[in-house]
Amino acid sequence: MRLANWPRARLRLGMVGGGLGGNIGAAHRTAALMDGRWDLVAGALSRDPRRGAESARAWQIAPDRSYPNAAEMAEAEAGRNDGIQAVAICTPNADHHPSAMAFLKAGIHVICDKPLTTSVALAEELVRTAKDQGLIFAVTHTYSGYPMVRAARRMIAAGQIGEVRSVSVEYLSQYHTAGSEGWQNDPARNGPLGAVAGTGTHAHHLAEFITGRRVTELSADLASLGPGNRLDDHATMHLRFDNGARGCLWNSTIAPGNQNGLSIRVHGSTGGLSWHQERPEELAYTPFGGATRLLYRNGAEVAAGAFELSRVPAGHPEGYLEAFANLYSEIAEAVTARLDGSADPEVAFPTVEDGLRGVRFMFAALSSARNESRFENL
Amino acid sequence: MRLANWPRARLRLGMVGGGLGGNIGAAHRTAALMDGRWDLVAGALSRDPRRGAESARAWQIAPDRSYPNAAEMAEAEAGRNDGIQAVAICTPNADHHPSAMAFLKAGIHVICDKPLTTSVALAEELVRTAKDQGLIFAVTHTYSGYPMVRAARRMIAAGQIGEVRSVSVEYLSQYHTAGSEGWQNDPARNGPLGAVAGTGTHAHHLAEFITGRRVTELSADLASLGPGNRLDDHATMHLRFDNGARGCLWNSTIAPGNQNGLSIRVHGSTGGLSWHQERPEELAYTPFGGATRLLYRNGAEVAAGAFELSRVPAGHPEGYLEAFANLYSEIAEAVTARLDGSADPEVAFPTVEDGLRGVRFMFAALSSARNESRFENL
Amino acid sequence: MRLANWPRARLRLGMVGGGLGGNIGAAHRTAALMDGRWDLVAGALSRDPRRGAESARAWQIAPDRSYPNAAEMAEAEAGRNDGIQAVAICTPNADHHPSAMAFLKAGIHVICDKPLTTSVALAEELVRTAKDQGLIFAVTHTYSGYPMVRAARRMIAAGQIGEVRSVSVEYLSQYHTAGSEGWQNDPARNGPLGAVAGTGTHAHHLAEFITGRRVTELSADLASLGPGNRLDDHATMHLRFDNGARGCLWNSTIAPGNQNGLSIRVHGSTGGLSWHQERPEELAYTPFGGATRLLYRNGAEVAAGAFELSRVPAGHPEGYLEAFANLYSEIAEAVTARLDGSADPEVAFPTVEDGLRGVRFMFAALSSARNESRFENL
Amino acid sequence: MRLANWPRARLRLGMVGGGLGGNIGAAHRTAALMDGRWDLVAGALSRDPRRGAESARAWQIAPDRSYPNAAEMAEAEAGRNDGIQAVAICTPNADHHPSAMAFLKAGIHVICDKPLTTSVALAEELVRTAKDQGLIFAVTHTYSGYPMVRAARRMIAAGQIGEVRSVSVEYLSQYHTAGSEGWQNDPARNGPLGAVAGTGTHAHHLAEFITGRRVTELSADLASLGPGNRLDDHATMHLRFDNGARGCLWNSTIAPGNQNGLSIRVHGSTGGLSWHQERPEELAYTPFGGATRLLYRNGAEVAAGAFELSRVPAGHPEGYLEAFANLYSEIAEAVTARLDGSADPEVAFPTVEDGLRGVRFMFAALSSARNESRFENL
């Protein structure tokens, strides 16, 4: 239970988007602050100036550091001695790229929501720019912060299920059952993919993150089945991995009874693993020929990794915000090392490269769906 | 709880295959006898004459009604006044067709394991012959006998989840993780499909049985991933249904931790349903906008259908054999009506037409898999 | 999977009580017949002659072997060459003793529902008489027939959880939430205990059966909380066992949401076990310091015992009727051995001694409850 | 999802005990800071001065506000303009009373771990003193902060299960299976009760908190079954409530397989509720005669209360720290109102009166156990 006790130098964080009214900004803020590694000191919290100011006030950001937009914020903060050291971007998808570019060019580390961009070319530009600028660029695939996801990843890396043969991942919700609205139903602001962009990219990332394998080709069938849904609300995919493993991905936002149903099952030559995001503390592990074991954070028979990203003993549930906070604490480690000029620490938060993979995944799915579900490389 | 109390005329049953040593014959026998509708009086229980005789003795079949093969049995039984009225065929797949033809031609009703045949043409011949002969031909998609599967079917037919939009069905086991053997790994006796034939056809049938919709096209990716497996042990499919619904099917026999993991989730415009074969008494139902309800056989808020095919009160678990027995009792009703010349009763056991659909499904999957997962009609 | 394949000599069974209209007779009948060890050939199925005759007809009992009452049936059957070899008594509680005495005196083996009698003295008389007559006397604590209950019993006997320290058992249902009726609310026919007699005795038996330990004293608090309930519908007990273990028992028939909620948890010095009747195929086992393992009938890491009393492979759920059938098949083994004059087989079905312990348990609870919950021996 | 967006004036918090090395201080700190209502600015974090200083440094407490003990801290902080407004006491039990008295006398609001004191008289003194001083005195029955516990409480208060008839609560862990050590096995520092003090008081509080009913008498059986355990590690209790409801409490720290197993089931005349701390987001609700509904934080059919104490949407699990933070945020509301001289807000965190009830509960259990489990009033 390392996290809560970390000695720490605090870092200065800014936020773009995420103002009052939505959920995502508050989640970023609570996660960032949980372990005492970050202070939130600046923001361009809303396109609506009044809501931006109100949000800044509620979150105790000084009025002169509440900005109308990302560009002005990047410039002003870069000019301050006490300027932000990193920025969290939680705007609609189409705004990720320009915002991120502004901060990268200003020499500020970036934490960005997914999907990273609305085209592969824009994502590639972010990868290049982050590299050229020598900056940390994290992408918030939040679910990779769960201790039992980390435990699964370590178990697979350690060979506990043998060679990975099969990966099934699904992400189900009911948000768009009666239709969707706002920017998530607007191709201009969301990009050309719907569910696949919003939740499918999380599922794809989780599959690669846990297995350490990469999807090399996929076949997708996309549909818009809910009334008025302009973008895909249902997708099924065949997945093929770089080691020959096969898999499937099922993604729906029109699945009544599912709140935030991300789950994954991995089967290997000598064992299987199963994890569900809504019961994140539990990982079911079956060594082939043996009984299924239920593993818990900080519990028995769990690989070491789950102990570090953890605050309370087994049986005291940690959840989504703690998983998110784990990423923020790892990012703080990485940013601190970069600021200090010391070596990159061993942390596992998703980066801009993962973000690019997510965008490639989205467009491979789109292309496959438009071509009779033929396999596409990514 | 109608079944156990049914007044009944007993029917005479024969069995082909299924002798001691395997599981399937004993399951057929226990199921057939459970409700007192059938007596098992003849058999060609094994290709091995000694094992055939031994099995007959154990099951109290008279020695002169233990036959060396289906053909002799059909002929002999058809010639007796007290000959069998129906036969259960539980041989390896490739033997289904010749055995069934022998009994159909002898005027004996047929109950046959799935997959029905190893080619579409052979299945079509069985459909035609059963029709021409005016005989009942049941196919043992056992899982359709579960009361909560029936409840789901009735709820969907009654519109309780609105228009069906999405169907996900999976059938996972671990049998072939370390490789398979015997006739199930032998294309000559099993046919050209492995997992898809053995369990995938059950999944396909369940999807159509519960929803009342038909799969019109599918895209499949098949693989043989376990060591030495000559037939598919892993399959993923995109499904498209006759009403525009989409879906996916995942079928694996190399999934450590899964015993007999058949499950289905159906989402409609106004609700969702979820059912797992290993917890067959429970059906999760969510009306969109409401909380998930857990429905149980003979429990509250369950449509009438689940009460009829039931023997004991809620909370006293019924299982696989009871589901199987439900089919045998329904088949007895249908055979009795046919023998009496009365109208066909309202029963729902799967028939030779379902068996044909299963074979079409298998070959559509094979063809798709061989053609880069393009969509194939069925 | 021994059961379904047993070579067998069939035994002749009679039944007292249990006619059409209730559940219990049909359950006895289906269970008795499942493995082909018994034929049901005689009965005194109802106090109402018309219903008795109707029930006999439905179950194919010859009219001349359908009797008006137990006494006439015992006499007549004892006088036949093909008379019954055992009788199943499934009447209201107060009738158990006179019926059982009639059959014991006629030299017929007895299978009797619980609670055995409505007083300790009557139960003791049955124990003595069975012994004097050299007859098998089984008591249908059905839940002891579940394979995973047997597995738990073997694991504890083998020391897999060390010394038993704590036993918690509960039996919850909702039957009397709105009040009870019929003979179960009538002290004259049910005896002076309500829930404790009807379900509490099952819970007590299960605790002793699984642990191999005996309750030596208990403290009980009984209440009648549902409207018009004349007998206890709620009981809590402190239990003390012969090895110093402690425990508790909670018994309610006024617990909305519970169908037939019998469950037990046993904790020892080196491990713990948990089993729930409504998911009878699953046993959770935790070696202290290790992860919880989920054990299944015929599955991995399960002690041998669970394989014998089993008909189908793991993942094909067996349930209540199969558990009940396991008892009937074991009783058939024991009766056959007695008829043959061979040694008693190693079987574990509950006997008249267990029935007596159940009656002692009931009256210890009653006495404790009437004396401010002081501890009473049993 | 009110909490994360609250506009807020920050309050100044101190902490006694809880330094690095244990879990509890870190949990208090993370919970207190989560919603931005509190700053941790002073502490007497350890009896060991070096560890105290180290802990203060890690948590960014100024060195001059890191004190050797509670008495000096209370005096010094009371004398500062920017002194703490409340103190969290997380020492071993026997130190609660002297520490709390020091702060109450210094006019500082108190947040104290449970059990409140090691005698009833000391607890009564705290109640009186808090009242006389006009100070807020919260007791951290953390589990009362869970949104679904609040939902259950509101549902019962609103009559959704009718009159409460039966309450079963249990708290199981495995901490002392192989024996216990440190202050928790030392009557001088822990008081005369072991498991009952450490976890039993939580169970008792939860039962009263959720039902709104009070336990008026109880019968207890206590035992020390683990090797070397000087205090009770196993307890069972009969409970009687002020409205005639009955219940039971089971408390064990020697239950292998249980991490932090607090759960409660409440049955009323028209429904039942069930909640388990290790899956805190889920509340099972059964209206009598209907199917069980699974209710989730921020999900469908949930009473309003669960929405306010919540940070993220349904399906994004909140856990123990969020529940704890809910209490701290409510306490901040109450302290702020007291500082402002405004009316007490409508909040539900447990107070010193609940703490006193917990101590009465402990000693009633002890007295009952020493007197053959006779009923004792509390």
Side-chain angles (χ1 to χ4, degrees), chain D residues 47-98:
Chain D
R47 295 194 304 175
D48 168 351
R50 220 184 59 188
R51 202 162 120 212
E54 228 177 274
S55 304
R57 206 163 36 246
W59 291 351
Q60 297 167 308
I61 291 170
D64 65 319
R65 297 179 81 173
S66 173
Y67 302 93
N69 56 55
E72 293 184 39
M73 176 175 162
E75 196 189 333
E77 289 291 320
R80 294 176 69 110
N81 276 341
D82 64 349
I84 59 172
Q85 290 154 317
V87 68
I89 299 171
C90 24
T91 62
N93 303 344
D95 299 332
H96 292 170
H97 175 269

Side-chain angles (χ1 to χ4, degrees), chain A residues 177 254 256, chain B residues 152-167 210-211 213 265-274 283-288:
Chain A
T177 300
I254 53 163
Chain B
R153 177 177 152 105
R154 293 207 185 189
M155 289 170 75
I156 290 173
Q160 282 191 254
I161 64 165
E163 181 71 14
V164 171
R165 288 177 180 169
S166 162
V167 182
I210 278 189
T211 62
R213 311 273 29 145
R265 287 170 283 177
V266 185
H267 298 113
S269 54
T270 64
L273 288 169
S274 172
L283 176 67
Y285 165 54
T286 312
F288 181 61

Side-chain angles (χ1 to χ4, degrees), chain D residues 6-347:
Chain D
W6 273 354
R8 50 187 62 101
R10 292 171 102 98
L11 298 171
R12 295 180 301 275
L13 181 71
M15 190 184 293
V16 177
L20 298 180
N23 294 313
I24 191 62
H28 270 273
R29 184 178 169 279
T30 304
L33 272 49
M34 185 176 291
D35 297 316
R37 303 294 303 250
W38 297 93
D39 290 307
L40 180 62
V41 297
L45 299 174
S46 175
R47 295 194 304 175
D48 168 351
R50 220 184 59 188
R51 202 162 120 212
E54 228 177 274
S55 304
R57 206 163 36 246
W59 291 351
Q60 297 167 308
I61 291 170
D64 65 319
R65 297 179 81 173
S66 173
Y67 302 93
N69 56 55
E72 293 184 39
M73 176 175 162
E75 196 189 333
E77 289 291 320
R80 294 176 69 110
N81 276 341
D82 64 349
I84 59 172
Q85 290 154 317
V87 68
I89 299 171
C90 24
T91 62
N93 303 344
D95 299 332
H96 292 170
H97 175 269
S99 296
M101 285 299 289
F103 287 95
L104 290 175
K105 293 206 163 149
I108 293 169
H109 301 283
V110 172
I111 300 157
C112 186
D113 274 356
K114 44 44 55 192
L116 183 60
T117 58
T118 53
S119 84
V120 171
L122 293 173
E124 287 172 338
E125 192 185 4
L126 291 178
V127 170
R128 276 196 314 274
T129 310
K131 195 178 168 198
D132 291 349
Q133 296 286 89
L135 293 167
I136 299 293
F137 194 126
V139 174
T140 52
H141 284 301
T142 332
Y143 306 107
S144 63
Y146 276 114
M148 297 316 288
V149 165
R150 298 297 177 95
R153 175 177 153 108
R154 293 205 185 189
M155 289 171 75
I156 291 174
Q160 281 191 255
I161 65 166
E163 182 70 14
V164 172
R165 287 175 179 171
S166 164
V167 183
S168 165
V169 62
E170 61 187 49
Y171 203 140
L172 309 181
S173 65
Q174 58 189 355
Y175 300 132
H176 300 154
T177 299
S180 55
E181 45 190 38
W183 67 264
Q184 293 191 323
N185 198 29
D186 177 359
R189 299 189 67 202
N190 194 75
L193 287 131
V196 169
T199 52
T201 49
H202 275 312
H204 164 256
H205 180 263
L206 188 66
E208 297 196 341
F209 185 82
I210 277 187
T211 63
R213 311 274 27 144
R214 299 207 153 193
V215 176
T216 51
E217 45 180 347
L218 62 79
S219 152
D221 192 27
L222 306 188
S224 300
L225 300 171
N229 287 347
R230 298 168 64 192
L231 299 168
D232 56 283
D233 54 22
H234 194 272
T236 64
M237 303 190 199
H238 311 310
L239 306 178
R240 292 177 177 173
F241 290 82
D242 55 7
N243 70 332
R246 299 294 175 99
C248 52
L249 184 153
W250 177 30
N251 191 195
S252 173
T253 53
I254 53 162
N258 294 276
Q259 308 280 10
N260 192 31
L262 172 64
S263 66
I264 187 165
R265 286 169 285 178
V266 185
H267 299 113
S269 53
T270 64
L273 286 170
S274 173
W275 180 82
H276 302 263
Q277 192 271 149
E278 298 192 8
R279 289 178 172 172
E281 299 269 275
E282 180 178 318
L283 175 68
Y285 165 55
T286 312
F288 181 60
T292 296
R293 279 106 170 100
L294 301 181
L295 309 183
Y296 294 91
R297 181 181 51 78
N298 281 349
E301 302 185 29
V302 174
F307 285 79
E308 291 169 20
L309 298 171
S310 177
R311 291 157 194 80
V312 280
H316 299 71
E318 293 198 358
Y320 174 82
L321 288 168
E322 285 77 16
F324 207 163
N326 289 342
L327 295 191
Y328 263 102
S329 291
E330 288 192 325
I331 297 166
E333 289 276 282
V335 169
T336 300
R338 206 59 72 91
L339 293 173
D340 293 352
S342 55
D344 285 350
E346 277 210 41
V347 284

Side-chain angles (χ1 to χ4, degrees), chain A residues 26-37:
Chain A
H28 270 273
R29 185 178 169 277
T30 303
L33 272 49
M34 186 177 290
D35 296 316
R37 301 293 304 252

Side-chain angles (χ1 to χ4, degrees), chain A residues 196-258:
Chain A
V196 169
T199 52
T201 49
H202 276 312
H204 164 256
H205 180 263
L206 188 66
E208 296 196 342
F209 185 82
I210 277 189
T211 62
R213 311 272 28 143
R214 299 205 153 193
V215 176
T216 50
E217 45 179 346
L218 62 78
S219 150
D221 192 27
L222 306 189
S224 300
L225 301 170
N229 288 345
R230 298 168 64 192
L231 298 168
D232 57 284
D233 54 23
H234 193 272
T236 64
M237 302 190 201
H238 310 309
L239 305 179
R240 293 177 176 172
F241 290 82
D242 54 6
N243 70 333
R246 300 292 176 100
C248 51
L249 185 153
W250 177 30
N251 190 194
S252 173
T253 53
I254 53 163
N258 294 278

Side-chain angles (χ1 to χ4, degrees), chain C residues 185-222:
Chain C
N185 197 30
D186 176 359
R189 301 190 66 204
N190 193 74
L193 287 131
V196 169
T199 51
T201 50
H202 276 311
H204 164 255
H205 180 264
L206 187 67
E208 295 196 343
F209 185 82
I210 277 189
T211 63
R213 312 272 29 144
R214 299 206 153 194
V215 177
T216 51
E217 46 180 347
L218 64 78
S219 152
D221 191 27
L222 306 187

